[in-house]
Amino acid sequence: MRGGGPGSAVGPARSAARVPSALLVPAAAGLVFLLLPLAALLVRAPWAELPGQLGSPQVWQALRLSLLSATTATALCLVLGVPLAWVLARTDFPGRRLVRALVTVPLVLPPVVGGVALLLALGRDGLVGRLLDDWFGVTLPFTTAGVVVAEAFVAMPFLVISVEGTLRAADPRFEEAAATLGASRFTAFRRVTLPLIAPGVAAGAVLAWARALGEFGATITFAGSFPGRTQTMPLAVYLALQNDPAAAVALSLVLLAVSVAVLGAMRDRWTAGVGA
Amino acid sequence: MTAGGGSVTAGLDARLVVRRGDFLLDVALTAAPGEVVALLGPNGAGKTTALRALAGLVALDEGHLRLDGAELAPLPAERRPVGVVFQDHLLFPHLSALDNVAFGPRCQGMPRRAARAEAGRWLERVGLAAHADARPRRLSGGQAQRVALARALAIRPRLLLLDEPLAALDARTRLETRAALRRHLDDFEAVTVLVTHDPLDAMVLADRLVVVEDGRVVQTGPPDLVARRPRTDYVARLVGLNLYRGAASGHLVRVDGAEATVTVTDELTGEVFVAFPPSAVTLHRERPVGTSARNVWRCRVAGIETHGDRIRADLTGELPMGAGLTAVAAAELRLAPGVEVWAAVKAEQTHAYPAG
């Protein structure tokens, strides 16, 4: 190393010590900004009351509903979103760019506006909701199914964008190879493309699941807040905050713990899957 | 039309016309069952486009594609009895070697167990039974290429397409794989079309060469004939010959676009090609006297390259050519770019043939 000249001597030092303060200071501030609220949640949690709070059936009811609806919404996103992403990535039709832009609208739409839009479309008097009611006797608003619909509406763009990006990065010639072996486009998708993009689909599903788990605005607008039916954890936290702040903190801790645990487990699984 | 009359012609009969912006591919190809045809050409000549058109991965803009009498052009790739070995093998990375080979039979509706048994037999034939459970990334380049061959053959194609099958391999693996591939192609009873830019691959593997340049067929014939009688500069360079076109009368050929004549042993009239190898050229600092060489031209050294223990000099002047000589000879002549030399070639060392 001594003969390596000034360049090699600077090399190792550069990574550790010589971070410009113009970057280091905002980086540290950003980290504090992200972690401080979480720390406050832990510091100010009513640890003594916690066992009592967690014993209340209302907490478990809300948690169960949240996990169930977020997972169902994610499944819905996968069933509809992965094919949509494939069509956007692998086919060419007039207006494809427009469709792609429209898919991302729910990303930027305030969730409450999304909830209003869902009511106008799928509400009892909505464009399609009326037909659902007349023909099948199905009403979505203010039901658990409505929660799933609201969450899926908000979460699906995350999945579509993520999977489409993975598909574009994947080599389409594997699909051609499958075609020369006699595979229809659907068989090629199912047996070749899907396994190849599985990590990207999993990443998109986790993003969608996390977004669905935290969904508030569209859910409360479209599905209301009925305990046991449509009152998910975020709604329960918000309502508890009005009259029982200690319960709100307890609920928040549970939600935080569950999210971190699930994301951690998923992350380990993919990294293991990619490395094998 | 000539194949009409209701009789079914076995083998391949195609005219492939594909337009890509300014590029036009227009190639006619025929091949009998069991025949191996090599599409040979420089990069960008359209060889791979022709191969993709045969496979159904590119649509024909015009022409036809008949295989054993059946018109394939309207069929999508998955409905054609065509197997493809891709340049970088494109084995499915998430499947074992065995499942890669079983993929085709499975798509043809064979039950899983039967398809895997069939795949096992194919892997055995290419000598990779021991690697059946290996994922593609665990295989060497040569092994992956053999699995890709087994995968393409497992669908029992009537047309086998090989896209630069040896290009991705290192020199030693290439030698072994080329020999093995030749044996498998000998056993294959249907048509094989091979795309390559390597003349050696083409010469060893193919029964017939179709040389494609700029989207057109410029020469076709058995490898030895193409090698002896190149008809374009590209082919001449590939097989290492100096090639000229000119007008012959008797034993004298007046070379087009040069102030030179070549004396040849063949007696011809009209448009001809004349070819001679660089090794036939002898170089002299003074005009040679008393030599038996009938052809002497005044040239200038444009460049010098070393190939092993041989030196190759590129000459300009009365007749541009490549000349091969030993390092000792080059040193004695004090060859360097810009040096004036006399180049001599014996008439017996030339080969003239009609251009028409």
Side-chain angles (χ1 to χ4, degrees), chain B residues 266-301:
Chain B
D266 312 82
E267 189 166 354
L268 294 156
T269 50
E271 283 290 291
V272 296
F273 285 113
V274 181
F276 57 84
S279 58
V281 182
T282 54
L283 298 183
H284 311 268
R285 285 305 283 258
E286 306 294 333
R287 185 181 181 101
V289 287
T291 170
S292 61
R294 307 282 295 278
N295 296 300
V296 179
W297 303 285
R298 193 168 172 73
C299 296
R300 179 191 296 273
V301 177

Side-chain angles (χ1 to χ4, degrees), chain A residues 173-174 176 179-180 191 195 276, chain B residues 52 78 82 88 91 94 137:
Chain A
R173 292 180 313 143
F174 283 114
E176 293 184 346
T180 65
R191 293 202 50 209
Chain B
R52 291 172 60 80
E78 65 264 27
V82 178
D88 40 1
L91 293 177
H94 61 293
R137 82 176 134 237

Side-chain angles (χ1 to χ4, degrees), chain B residues 38 40 182 198-206 209 223-224 226-227 239:
Chain B
L40 182 66
R182 174 74 248 190
D198 183 321
L200 187 56
D201 288 350
M203 304 280 170
V204 171
L205 296 173
L209 303 189
D224 55 332
V226 172
V239 298

Side-chain angles (χ1 to χ4, degrees), chain A residues 171 173-185 187-188 191-193 195-196 274-276, chain B residues 52 55 57 77-78 82-84 86 88 90-95 103-104 106-107 137 151-152 155:
Chain A
D171 193 339
R173 292 180 313 143
F174 283 114
E175 291 177 27
E176 293 184 346
T180 65
L181 293 168
S184 66
R185 284 197 95 174
T187 305
R191 293 202 50 209
V192 175
T193 312
L196 289 178
V274 170
Chain B
R52 291 172 60 80
L57 300 172
E78 65 264 27
V82 178
V84 186
F86 293 90
D88 40 1
L90 290 180
L91 293 177
F92 305 130
H94 61 293
L95 297 180
F103 188 94
R106 287 278 288 142
C107 287
R137 82 176 134 237
R151 182 174 75 168
I155 65 168

Side-chain angles (χ1 to χ4, degrees), chain B residues 249-274:
Chain B
S249 89
H251 293 290
L252 208 61
V253 177
R254 181 161 299 280
V255 175
D256 294 351
E259 288 296 307
T261 56
V262 183
T263 305
V264 297
T265 48
D266 312 82
E267 189 166 354
L268 294 156
T269 50
E271 283 290 291
V272 296
F273 285 113
V274 181

